[in-house]
Amino acid sequence: MAAGGSTPGTPGTPRVLRAMNDRAVLDLLVAHGPLTRTRIGELTGLSKPTTSQLLGRLEAAGLVHTTGSLSGRPGPNALLYEIDPGAGHVAALSADPTGITALVADITGTVLGTERVEADAIADDVRHRTAQLVAEAVDGALRQAGLGHDDLRAAVIGTPGAIDPHTGQLRYAPHLPGWHSRTLRDDLAAVLGTPVDIENDVNLAAVAEQYEGAAQDHDNYVLTWLDEGVGAAIVLGGTLLRGATGGAGEIGYMPLPGAPLVRRGSQENRDGGGDGGFESLVSAYVVRELGGPGGTLADVMADDGTLGEVARRIATGIAAVVAVVDPELVVLSGSVAQAGGDKLRARVEEELTGLALPRPEIRISELNGDPILTGALRSALTQARDQVFDTA
């Protein structure tokens, strides 16, 4: 028994307080980059001796190292400390109907390798080797990074649909038949050598917006994904709303005026914009068709009349969501939103007037690159840091 009758590791013990201080400093270094001992003390309120002991402890554990010094001030140059990037690595993946993209990054978030494996999700030779395709993508990224499976601390995969927490099966994604095995997570963990999280792709896009995109200053927002598939991520109080079966935000199925009703539990023809619901009004496939054969999304959005029709359809769907969850902000993302840009945003905002009593702000995503991969990377880094930075 420790002094005072507490056991090691319980709240208030020196061990726990040290671990809390360690984590606070590590999080500061992640957020700010290299810092001097003095600056760390200023930001944390820790004394110089405590800060020195802490940094020595973290350096011995391989979590931080010095990276030069800060000159240009009176007295000796001050050493700069930063997170040791080799303290851990993660894999982030995005799966879609035509293939799998993987990247590997170090614990600071620096991407070290990427790989794309092309594979038609509904091909007979693909359905039963999903885990092998995932491994192929990750292995390619690891080779570029000069790493192996043992270096990975976490892996997150973004895919259409959502994992049902009760059954472990992927739902709402009939166009990815190879991903519906009840043992998929175990199969993926076996081939990658690390636990794997399978997350809804639109939810991950919302995570990306919260970290470095249009939703950084909001805890209550909806991301509306307008692409070949249509969906939404609903964030309330800073937390993703998932629903009882993981299906919260599957607004592609949502019945709307002018759209056929979806009366089955799945959509079998996503290539044609879905069988009904909101997706059959605003998917990228349907929007392109509004411009005639061979038209592109850019062509469609260049026509003011067609742009107005697309905005009206989008606003009708958003109004239904807004009436239920009353978000502060709606972020429009995906290829349709990107093609329409600020003109589309303004027209959607105009159309939304009168359709919904709450009046959320409308923004277009300005993230560079693939927001799904960005969200998967952020989620994987959060998991890995919780492991690696835990010094208790």
Side-chain angles (χ1 to χ4, degrees):
M1 297 288 287
S6 61
T7 56
T10 59
T13 64
R15 177 182 178 183
V16 171
L17 293 175
R18 281 197 301 269
M20 291 171 63
N21 288 336
D22 291 348
R23 181 61 191 263
V25 169
L26 290 167
D27 287 342
L28 277 176
L29 292 174
V30 167
H32 295 277
L35 295 171
T36 65
R37 182 196 65 180
T38 299
R39 184 59 178 150
I40 291 170
E42 291 171 350
L43 291 171
T44 61
L46 297 174
S47 68
K48 287 184 179 180
T50 299
T51 303
S52 295
Q53 293 171 8
L54 183 153
L55 289 171
R57 208 164 50 241
L58 295 180
E59 196 167 12
L63 296 177
V64 304
H65 63 193
T66 56
T67 177
S69 59
L70 187 63
S71 58
R73 60 174 62 188
N77 292 343
L79 290 175
L80 286 165
Y81 292 85
E82 69 175 2
I83 299 292
D84 188 332
H89 299 85
V90 301
L93 300 95
S94 175
D96 58 65
T98 62
I100 299 167
T101 303
L103 62 81
V104 168
D106 64 34
I107 200 72
T108 71
T110 301
V111 176
L112 305 176
T114 61
E115 182 75 5
R116 171 74 179 176
V117 174
E118 300 292 342
D120 185 342
I122 62 173
D124 288 338
D125 64 338
V126 166
R127 294 180 184 224
H128 304 296
R129 59 188 188 95
T130 299
Q132 287 74 22
L133 291 170
V134 169
E136 185 180 336
V138 173
D139 288 349
L142 284 170
R143 280 194 299 271
Q144 288 184 33
L147 300 169
H149 287 186
D150 291 344
D151 295 298
L152 292 178
R153 292 300 190 108
V156 175
I157 301 177
T159 176
I163 294 291
D164 187 319
H166 303 292
T167 66
Q169 281 189 288
L170 187 71
R171 303 187 66 184
Y172 313 104
H175 55 308
L176 294 180
W179 292 78
H180 288 230
S181 167
R182 289 179 182 269
T183 63
L184 181 60
R185 274 193 289 205
D186 290 340
D187 296 342
L188 293 175
V191 297
L192 296 185
T194 189
V196 177
D197 269 7
I198 304 172
E199 178 61 274
N200 174 261
D201 52 2
V202 181
N203 283 351
L204 290 176
V207 169
E209 295 291 347
Q210 197 168 33
Y211 271 96
E212 55 189 74
Q216 289 182 77
D217 53 344
H218 290 273
D219 288 329
N220 297 282
Y221 66 95
V222 171
L223 179 130
T224 303
W225 183 260
L226 304 164
D227 211 287
E228 300 298 334
V230 173
I234 301 167
V235 178
L236 300 176
T239 302
L240 278 164
L241 179 66
R242 299 182 181 278
T245 63
E250 290 290 342
I251 62 173
Y253 297 92
M254 187 167 60
L256 287 175
L261 292 176
V262 181
R263 294 192 178 276
R264 297 190 300 278
S266 65
Q267 290 172 281
E268 297 171 357
N269 183 21
R270 296 289 287 252
D271 292 337
D275 298 311
F278 188 37
E279 184 170 296
S280 68
L281 297 178
V282 296
S283 74
Y285 176 88
V286 172
V287 172
R288 279 194 300 268
E289 289 297 298
L290 293 176
T296 66
L297 289 174
D299 294 334
V300 172
M301 297 305 179
D303 179 79
D304 190 65
T306 310
L307 176 69
E309 173 61 18
V310 173
R312 184 190 65 77
R313 295 180 180 190
I314 293 172
T316 303
I318 290 175
V321 178
V322 167
V324 175
V325 299
D326 187 16
E328 302 168 314
L329 170 72
V330 174
V331 179
L332 305 180
S333 188
S335 59
V336 173
Q338 293 303 314
D342 195 60
K343 287 185 177 179
L344 178 65
R345 181 206 60 77
R347 293 294 290 271
V348 170
E349 199 169 59
E350 180 183 332
E351 291 287 343
L352 196 59
T353 303
L355 287 179
L357 185 58
R359 291 290 303 279
E361 183 180 357
I362 309 293
R363 295 180 182 175
I364 296 284
S365 173
E366 296 180 355
L367 288 175
N368 295 318
D370 183 345
I372 298 167
L373 268 180
T374 299
L377 174 59
R378 288 295 180 181
S379 296
L381 286 171
T382 297
Q383 293 179 27
R385 289 168 183 164
D386 284 345
Q387 297 176 42
V388 175
F389 293 173
D390 183 0
T391 61

